[in-house]
Amino acid sequence: AALADASVISTMSAWIEQALRPISDADPAVLSKYVLALLKKDTPLDTMRGNCVKELEDFLEDKTRGFVDALFRKVDEEIARYAKRAEEDTNAEEDELDYGEGSDSEKDDE
């Protein structure tokens, strides 16, 4: 779910493009979109990692494994950040719930 979130995709896209620029002759914007498409596949992360290595070797050659390792560290970071943000949003929504009549007036009396 995190890898489908627009803010995560935006962050990942910028990071991927920047990471690819010095290690590939391919257009980093185009290759970044390809990498994002690989990340969006609904497969377990281990399978996704293997697919990325296999699919990117033609573009990145001996730099593939290093890039994929860094990519999945970033993916883990973004998933954790997304989960934390989702948890904070859930907690904020719970704080805003109306627990019945009188709850607001009790706060006003304090």
Side-chain angles (χ1 to χ4, degrees), residues 16-95:
I16 292 166
E17 195 170 325
Q18 184 178 6
L20 289 171
R21 191 167 280 117
I23 62 171
S24 176
D25 292 334
D27 180 339
V30 173
L31 191 51
S32 172
K33 288 179 184 173
Y34 181 61
V35 172
L36 281 172
L38 293 172
L39 292 177
K40 288 181 184 176
K41 293 190 177 192
D42 193 18
T43 57
L45 286 179
D46 288 345
T47 303
M48 193 183 298
R49 178 188 283 266
N51 289 343
C52 284
V53 169
K54 187 175 97 182
E55 296 295 327
L56 295 174
E57 278 180 327
D58 287 342
F59 300 101
L60 305 179
E61 298 169 349
D62 62 340
K63 306 232 184 330
T64 304
R65 290 219 180 259
F67 171 76
V68 171
D69 288 345
L71 174 66
F72 277 83
R73 281 192 300 274
K74 185 67 175 171
V75 165
D76 288 343
E77 265 178 43
E78 290 304 314
I79 289 173
R81 187 173 293 141
Y82 175 83
K84 183 177 181 183
R85 196 171 56 238
E87 183 180 320
E88 288 170 354
D89 289 348
T90 300
N91 290 341
E93 286 174 13
E94 288 173 358
D95 290 344

